[in-house]
Amino acid sequence: MPTKRTTLKYLAATGLASAAGCATLGEAQAKVVVIGGGFGGATLARTLKQAAPTLQVTLIEANPVYNACPFSNLVIGTNRPLTAQQFRYQNIAAAGVEVITDRATDIDASSRTVSLASGDQLNYDRLVLAPGIELDFEAIPGYNRSATEAAPHAWQAGAQTTLLRDQIRAMREGGTVAMVVPDNPYRCPPGPYERASLIAHYLRVHNPRAKLLILDNKDNFSKKTLFMQAWADLFGGLIEWQGLSDGAAVAEIDTTSQTIYTDFDKVSYDVANIIPPQRAGRIAQLAGATDASGWCPIDAASFASTLLPNTYVIGDAAIANAMPKSAFAANAQAKNCAIQILRSLRDLSPLPSTMANTCYSLVNPDYAISVAGVYRPQQNRWQPIEGAGGTSPQDASIDQREREARYAEAWYDTVTQQVFG
Amino acid sequence: MTKLGIAALAATLWFPNAAYAQVSTPADARDADTLLIAPCTGCHTATSPLAGVYDYPPDELLALLRALKTGERSSTLMARLLSGYSDADLVRLSNALSTLAAPSDSYADHAN
Ligand SMILES: Cc1cc2nc3c(=O)[nH]c(=O)nc-3n(C[C@H](O)[C@H](O)[C@H](O)COP(=O)(O)OP(=O)(O)OC[C@H]3O[C@@H](n4cnc5c(N)ncnc54)[C@H](O)[C@@H]3O)c2cc1C
């Protein structure tokens, strides 16, 4: 049972204690509906309810179990069980958030109504869209939804994660794993390279003659120098990376003959991990909250949709410019947006603030590198603050790499406990 | 917070768009502090195994943040993050982070 002390600690943990003290104003009867219970939406619903207990906060999430993506690459490359990625919503419900397990199917901004697959309708005063991503199954010829069984994406964690793991474990000796990686922007910029590392970590021991080929639709990627150096040091020549200038742009995939056609070449594979291009979750598109890019434009400082009134967009679905699509950013954006929503319910203008992000990548379970950034809304864009942030140093000691691995774990445990615990 | 404090705080913010608020009331100042620490609390919570920022009185925390920023105290990551914050930000950060959890009883937990 939560004591006063633990409540204080929770508020301290989420950083919204101060707002809780003044939650008696215009928002008393207001209704906020949040669509999507991932790192963005679940954080937002919970912190908003903590900050303003009289608010009616509803979280609509399609699945009863959330499969967290951060650390899911460890499930693929080590013995980490998928259950270490899984979280339920009972603690969020116990905190006073109305949790509805259903899919939002439509939004009518003029009547401020959300329709659910069950046929129910909900009204809102403020709506938050946090639906994450939709994979684009038209972008790569041959790679549609039914191809994901033969060639998993594993970019939305869950059954896809263990499918890819099992295919790699069952691969013939000396086989080839091919990874196809999209151009920016996409969820978790360093994620594909962390995955390549952890697959190589597995193969090095269990299938040492195997190869891992990365076909990348760009020439540069997050922490490239650090990854390349670590790959050379730890895995010899196991990982081969080819970028756009090497002709790696993928033109077509044939999962029957297990062939990937690039612009000038073709590659036969034993296991393929295809990470297709992405856009904002479908409900954001249906609602009319996306622009031609497929993502949701926002007023930078407040996360308010520039296309729909009374609507906010956070997490991967939002166009947050220099801020990457990460769980860390989604969590921080949610806390920021909660304050902006409370201010708007009190007829106060948004208050711009600094934001920061940190993404750790594991090269093996005891070796991590990080990239950090600090951002400000300037000219209505999230811009990096010059001279701040950057990657782990190239000449760091093995001891520092190991410390970063322990900090990465601590971050995951902390943030998942904060959101779902 | 005093009027002077609010003015000093307002000077540390920036206003890219006329539609945005200025910090002019104590409530604004509280919101501004809550916003400032939002990214910090992704890692640094009262129960996190990562450094518990709430364990420090504000002046000690401020000294620590300054030393981390300059590199006088070594870190894997914090210098990179803190270099995006002005000294005025560090003052606000240390106050906001320590006063959040400070109330008497939770503080006693960490006395040893
Ligand atoms: C392999 C991998 C590794 C990663 N590692 C890291 C890492 O180390 N650190 C990091 O910070 N980030 C990492 N990320 C990125 C991180 O997972 C995402 O940035 C984060 O999940 C975004 O949160 P979100 O809330 O925007 O979306 P999501 O977490 O995807 O949540 C969206 C939720 O909305 C629900 N939803 C969607 N549409 C509807 C609807 N119509 N009705 C009801 N519910 C709906 C979905 O079911 C889902 O639960 C990684 C990603 C991958 C793929």
Side-chain angles (χ1 to χ4, degrees), chain A residues 103-139:
Chain A
R103 179 167 289 281
T105 52
D106 198 16
I107 290 161
D108 182 352
S110 56
S111 64
R112 285 185 290 168
T113 319
V114 178
S115 303
L116 305 181
S118 64
D120 286 353
Q121 293 203 323
L122 297 171
N123 293 313
Y124 60 82
D125 296 297
R126 297 291 183 275
L127 176 70
V128 180
L129 295 173
I133 57 164
E134 177 183 65
L135 300 169
D136 183 351
F137 286 118
E138 274 112 57

Side-chain angles (χ1 to χ4, degrees), chain A residues 90-406:
Chain A
Q90 76 272 15
N91 296 322
I92 295 175
V97 173
E98 181 191 16
V99 179
I100 298 178
T101 308
D102 202 347
R103 179 167 289 281
T105 52
D106 198 16
I107 290 161
D108 182 352
S110 56
S111 64
R112 285 185 290 168
T113 319
V114 178
S115 303
L116 305 181
S118 64
D120 286 353
Q121 293 203 323
L122 297 171
N123 293 313
Y124 60 82
D125 296 297
R126 297 291 183 275
L127 176 70
V128 180
L129 295 173
I133 57 164
E134 177 183 65
L135 300 169
D136 183 351
F137 286 118
E138 274 112 57
I140 307 174
Y143 197 65
N144 52 27
R145 202 174 288 281
S146 53
T148 62
E149 285 298 306
H153 55 78
W155 218 240
Q156 289 163 318
Q160 278 278 303
T161 310
T162 45
L163 180 64
L164 178 59
R165 175 197 66 191
D166 295 344
Q167 290 185 1
I168 290 167
R169 289 188 184 180
M171 186 172 77
R172 74 178 169 89
E173 220 184 295
T176 297
V177 180
M179 281 182 72
V180 173
V181 180
D183 194 3
N184 296 314
Y186 61 96
R187 155 177 289 182
C188 196
Y193 315 99
E194 176 188 72
R195 174 172 292 172
S197 308
L198 292 169
I199 292 174
H201 170 73
Y202 171 84
L203 293 174
R204 192 183 64 84
V205 175
H206 300 279
N207 193 343
R209 290 195 301 113
K211 287 264 164 246
L212 171 52
L213 174 64
I214 305 172
L215 297 169
D216 208 331
N217 282 268
K218 56 189 174 299
D219 278 325
N220 242 311
F221 61 85
S222 180
K223 301 180 253 195
K224 183 177 178 185
T225 315
L226 288 168
F227 272 116
M228 294 286 207
Q229 178 193 302
W231 291 346
D233 290 352
L234 298 170
F235 309 125
L238 205 158
I239 299 178
E240 183 188 345
W241 177 84
Q242 292 183 9
L244 204 56
S245 307
D246 306 312
V250 169
E252 191 179 344
I253 292 164
D254 181 352
T255 52
T256 313
S257 66
Q258 299 185 259
T259 311
I260 297 173
Y261 297 89
T262 60
D263 283 343
F264 305 106
D265 209 352
K266 62 177 189 179
V267 173
S268 299
Y269 63 79
D270 296 280
V271 173
N273 171 212
I274 312 297
I275 305 168
Q278 298 145 36
R279 52 195 172 213
R282 172 146 292 264
I283 188 65
Q285 303 165 45
L286 294 173
T290 51
D291 67 14
S293 72
W295 304 98
C296 302
I298 52 168
D299 167 63
S302 65
F303 297 92
S305 167
T306 57
L307 299 175
L308 290 183
N310 305 306
T311 304
Y312 295 77
V313 189
I314 54 167
D316 287 357
I319 301 174
N321 320 112
M323 243 190 290
K325 299 187 187 303
S326 74
F328 188 110
N331 174 259
Q333 290 170 4
K335 292 170 193 167
N336 184 309
C337 185
I339 294 292
Q340 312 296 359
I341 290 172
L342 287 176
R343 289 181 64 85
S344 119
L345 290 170
R346 292 169 189 151
D347 284 328
L348 297 171
S349 305
L351 206 50
S353 189
T354 307
M355 291 283 273
N357 179 68
T358 299
C359 284
Y360 288 103
S361 298
L362 295 163
V363 179
N364 74 32
D366 299 312
Y367 183 126
I369 51 182
S370 61
V371 60
V374 188
Y375 312 93
R376 251 174 212 178
Q378 273 169 330
Q379 283 92 46
N380 202 17
R381 294 173 60 82
W382 282 103
Q383 312 248 23
I385 294 180
E386 292 293 320
T391 63
S392 311
Q394 216 179 325
D395 58 1
S397 64
I398 200 75
D399 189 59
Q400 274 170 287
R401 305 285 192 227
E402 184 167 357
R403 268 164 66 205
E404 292 223 275
R406 298 291 84 82

